[in-house]
Amino acid sequence: PIIEDGASDWPTFAEKARKLISEDKVATVFGGWTSASRKAMLPVFEELNGLLWYPVQYEGLESSPNIFYTGATTNQQIVPSVDYLLEQGKKTFFLLGSDYVFPRTANKIIKAQLEAKGGETVAEEYTPLGHTDFATIISKIKEAKPDVVYNTLNGDSNVAFFKQLKDAGITASDLTIMSVSIAEEEVKGIGPEYLEGYLVAWNYFQTTDTPENKKFVENCKAKYGADSVTSDPMEAGYTAVYLWKAAVEKAGSFDVDAVRAAADGIEFDAPEGRVKIDGETQHIYKTVRIGQIQSDGMIKELWNSGSPVKPDPYLKGYDWAGDLSSGN
């Protein structure tokens, strides 16, 4: 592998993508993190006809012939997690996010869903990426008394938010929080003592009970250390390599157009369970999981979708989502 670092800087991601395709002549690229990094790279991959495998859940409302999306799209994470909360009797939502594309688009979707399903958005607050002072936000949460805080904060902001919540005397028994960007790695970094009892929505947990996952976790610990953890984006990145391999073998070629044409319908027994490439959207069928963070830093599964969910990045299958994709 040729490894480049986007350095959490969106223009750098685009620049490195161009180098990998033009100079290094790579067959494919696995990577990207935030939606901003992906959106910076997308025109480069389309211009140069490169191929990107993007491993992180994202806000949907996108597809590109030059990207395969192996993390969840909206109907495989956000929409089912809101439905789950509504079914638990949670009606009033406080939306809290970092101020960039993923949280803003996610919250636009959540507001439309709540309006259609009889829920209510009581507040919508954004903080700059990297923001660490949540005193005002916590006061607003106390005042609003929501049934749930739906959290799309990213990165270091989560560390500050959850620590300051605990300092304010608030725990999971007082307040339901659903997060969509906190996986095992983030729990380890923040400290399970600050996160115990809160909810997360993903497609994979380290505790997911499949034979493939048992082996995946063992192999990761053997390579990266006994105290290392696995997480959803790691698993989606790992899965991407095997899906690409299968598409190359089916195509009998590394050519991007041939690989793309061959990819439709390819299946793989991933650590999360069986996944399948949907050729129309270049997203993959994934099982949805809701979990609760435990005191040991692991995530206990509370609910899953029972079978892999067909990706629907533009939410065409939802009457209430009709106006969303046109505005993006």
Side-chain angles (χ1 to χ4, degrees), residues 86 109-121 320:
L86 290 168
I109 291 163
I110 292 166
K111 285 187 291 184
Q113 184 180 358
L114 289 175
E115 196 177 328
K117 298 281 185 80
E120 185 192 348
T121 305
W320 51 262

Side-chain angles (χ1 to χ4, degrees), residues 135-212:
T136 306
I137 298 277
I138 290 168
S139 296
K140 287 180 178 178
I141 291 169
K142 284 179 170 174
E143 199 178 316
K145 297 185 174 64
D147 293 336
V148 59
V149 171
Y150 201 101
N151 170 31
T152 51
L153 292 172
N154 213 305
D156 293 343
S157 293
N158 276 310
V159 182
F161 175 58
F162 283 100
K163 287 187 174 176
Q164 288 164 35
L165 265 184
K166 190 171 184 183
D167 290 345
I170 297 169
T171 67
S173 55
D174 310 308
L175 179 66
T176 298
I177 301 180
M178 175 70 79
S179 299
V180 287
S181 295
I182 293 180
E184 289 85 347
E185 190 72 38
E186 287 74 28
V187 175
K188 190 178 166 189
I190 295 167
E193 66 271 25
Y194 297 102
L195 293 165
E196 185 181 355
Y198 292 119
L199 304 178
V200 294
W202 291 101
N203 308 105
Y204 165 87
F205 304 129
Q206 183 170 316
T207 54
T208 296
D209 188 12
T210 65
E212 291 78 16

Side-chain angles (χ1 to χ4, degrees), residues 240-251:
V241 177
Y242 283 91
L243 290 171
W244 173 72
K245 170 184 183 285
V248 166
E249 287 171 350
K250 187 173 159 190

Side-chain angles (χ1 to χ4, degrees), residues 31-35 38 52-58 67-71:
W33 186 253
T34 58
S35 287
R38 187 191 68 256
L52 173 68
W53 295 79
Y54 179 71
V56 192
Q57 43 68 251
Y58 84 111
I67 301 179
F68 281 88
Y69 304 76
T70 61

Side-chain angles (χ1 to χ4, degrees), residues 1-324:
I2 296 169
I3 298 169
E4 293 289 356
D5 182 2
S8 299
D9 177 68
W10 326 139
T12 302
F13 271 94
E15 179 196 317
K16 297 294 190 184
R18 187 172 292 278
K19 172 193 174 285
L20 286 166
I21 303 165
S22 300
E23 294 175 31
D24 299 316
K25 311 285 188 205
V26 298
T28 193
V29 176
F30 302 95
W33 186 253
T34 58
S35 287
S37 72
R38 187 191 68 256
K39 286 186 180 293
M41 291 189 287
L42 186 149
V44 177
F45 280 92
E46 290 187 346
E47 176 201 336
L48 301 174
N49 198 30
L51 190 60
L52 173 68
W53 295 79
Y54 179 71
V56 192
Q57 43 68 251
Y58 84 111
E59 70 284 349
L61 307 181
E62 181 180 298
S63 63
S64 166
N66 296 86
I67 301 179
F68 281 88
Y69 304 76
T70 61
T73 187
T74 326
N75 75 307
Q76 299 167 318
Q77 186 191 35
I78 289 168
V79 173
S81 67
V82 170
D83 280 341
Y84 172 85
L85 291 163
L86 290 168
E87 282 160 19
Q88 301 295 311
K90 311 290 184 190
K91 297 290 183 197
T92 57
F93 283 59
F94 188 112
L95 307 181
L96 173 60
S98 297
D99 192 5
Y100 84 114
V101 60
F102 170 69
R104 286 206 174 261
T105 308
N107 287 338
K108 195 163 69 164
I109 291 163
I110 292 166
K111 285 187 291 184
Q113 184 180 358
L114 289 175
E115 196 177 328
K117 298 281 185 80
E120 185 192 348
T121 305
V122 295
E124 183 177 1
E125 295 281 343
Y126 295 96
T127 62
L129 276 168
H131 184 74
T132 56
D133 182 1
F134 285 91
T136 306
I137 298 277
I138 290 168
S139 296
K140 287 180 178 178
I141 291 169
K142 284 179 170 174
E143 199 178 316
K145 297 185 174 64
D147 293 336
V148 59
V149 171
Y150 201 101
N151 170 31
T152 51
L153 292 172
N154 213 305
D156 293 343
S157 293
N158 276 310
V159 182
F161 175 58
F162 283 100
K163 287 187 174 176
Q164 288 164 35
L165 265 184
K166 190 171 184 183
D167 290 345
I170 297 169
T171 67
S173 55
D174 310 308
L175 179 66
T176 298
I177 301 180
M178 175 70 79
S179 299
V180 287
S181 295
I182 293 180
E184 289 85 347
E185 190 72 38
E186 287 74 28
V187 175
K188 190 178 166 189
I190 295 167
E193 66 271 25
Y194 297 102
L195 293 165
E196 185 181 355
Y198 292 119
L199 304 178
V200 294
W202 291 101
N203 308 105
Y204 165 87
F205 304 129
Q206 183 170 316
T207 54
T208 296
D209 188 12
T210 65
E212 291 78 16
N213 188 39
K214 189 169 182 291
K215 192 163 187 295
F216 176 61
V217 173
E218 280 172 8
N219 289 346
C220 283
K221 286 184 177 297
K223 184 165 177 62
Y224 299 109
D227 63 341
S228 64
V229 293
T230 60
S231 67
D232 186 292
M234 287 171 65
E235 188 269 351
Y238 170 88
T239 297
V241 177
Y242 283 91
L243 290 171
W244 173 72
K245 170 184 183 285
V248 166
E249 287 171 350
K250 187 173 159 190
S253 169
F254 291 108
D255 176 75
V256 168
D257 295 330
V259 170
R260 180 193 300 119
D264 184 25
I266 282 174
E267 298 189 37
F268 175 62
D269 285 320
E272 68 183 81
R274 181 149 274 237
V275 298
K276 180 171 83 168
I277 295 176
D278 175 53
E280 184 191 353
T281 63
Q282 294 187 181
H283 291 61
I284 66 177
Y285 285 70
K286 295 171 78 70
T287 299
V288 186
R289 293 183 162 90
I290 309 286
Q292 185 177 47
I293 298 164
Q294 305 297 293
S295 59
D296 63 355
M298 290 293 100
I299 297 167
K300 176 187 173 188
E301 186 177 298
L302 301 179
W303 175 89
N304 73 57
S305 56
S307 60
V309 173
K310 180 181 166 68
D312 183 6
Y314 291 97
L315 299 173
K316 292 175 181 170
Y318 301 88
D319 295 340
W320 51 262
D323 297 334
L324 293 170

